[in-house]
Amino acid sequence: NACTLTYRSVAEYRLSLFHMRTDREEFRLHVHKGLGAVRDCMKAGGPASDTFALLGLLTDLKSTFSFAGKLDERKALRAIGKAKDILPSNPRAHLAEGIFYFRRGNRDRSYADTAYGCLRVACELYEKEDSGYGVRGDGFDWGREEAMVWLALTMKERGDRSGALMKLREALAV
């Protein structure tokens, strides 16, 4: 079902991150498996905004090993934009956008600033989700702690070490 496929996509995305620096073959395998799960989720009528956010995250990772790297970067950003268009209040769409720009922060300082803004919005939107213990009415809740961690990394990059540590402690408390 669509719920299972969404979480399978999230799991494959996280596994790809785990292997990114240590095992390029496993990294590629999990990126491709994640993209397959996203496509299956789309066919099954999964949550459109979350699905496009995941498509953006995984396509962005694919850009690191694809011959069409720059094209994949543009595809990733378009998918993330579509996720935001579908549901502007979806924190996962803003999380995906923040990660996209954070990964380019070493190229240009403005990317780090953009990432910071996106991740702050994501964290604020997660706080606004109000159906119990952080679970929305449709049951999808992933990325909350990741948003806090990525925001902390961005804060550290911008020189706010104490704020970054506070945000990491907050993520641990979730």
Side-chain angles (χ1 to χ4, degrees):
N1 75 23
C3 183
T4 301
L5 291 167
T6 299
Y7 284 112
R8 192 173 112 216
S9 302
V10 172
E12 294 295 348
Y13 165 72
R14 289 176 177 163
L15 283 167
S16 66
L17 290 178
F18 179 80
H19 292 291
M20 187 174 197
R21 303 248 188 264
T22 57
D23 188 335
R24 295 298 284 179
E25 288 308 310
E26 282 293 313
F27 167 65
R28 287 184 179 117
L29 173 71
H30 290 291
V31 168
H32 286 299
K33 286 172 79 173
L35 286 167
V38 166
R39 282 188 212 78
D40 291 345
C41 188
M42 287 178 168
K43 290 177 192 169
S49 182
D50 281 21
T51 304
F52 277 101
L54 285 162
L55 177 63
L57 287 168
L58 287 157
T59 303
D60 184 32
L61 291 179
K62 181 181 171 216
S63 75
T64 66
F65 62 82
S66 167
F67 290 115
K70 290 290 183 193
L71 178 62
D72 282 334
E73 284 183 14
R74 288 191 296 275
K75 286 179 180 178
L77 199 52
R78 272 197 308 272
I80 292 165
K82 189 159 185 164
K84 289 174 60 181
D85 289 345
I86 291 168
L87 186 60
S89 63
N90 183 355
R92 286 155 292 283
H94 294 273
L95 167 63
E97 184 178 36
I99 292 170
F100 177 90
Y101 284 111
F102 179 85
R103 290 180 15 82
R104 285 148 187 83
N106 61 349
R107 293 187 203 167
D108 183 335
R109 172 67 185 192
S110 67
Y111 287 148
D113 293 338
T114 301
Y116 175 77
C118 296
L119 293 164
R120 275 196 50 213
V121 168
C123 287
E124 290 168 5
L125 290 170
Y126 276 116
E127 289 176 18
K128 289 180 182 178
E129 290 186 342
D130 60 359
S131 299
Y133 183 64
V135 178
R136 298 184 332 213
D138 62 9
F140 290 98
D141 184 38
W142 58 271
R144 181 180 306 275
E145 300 86 359
E146 285 172 85
M148 292 177 192
V149 171
W150 284 100
L151 180 58
L153 292 171
T154 306
M155 294 166 81
K156 182 182 172 213
E157 287 295 313
R158 298 178 75 212
D160 184 3
R161 186 172 166 76
S162 64
L165 286 171
M166 282 179 24
K167 188 53 75 177
L168 287 172
R169 287 186 187 106
E170 187 180 335
L172 286 170
V174 172

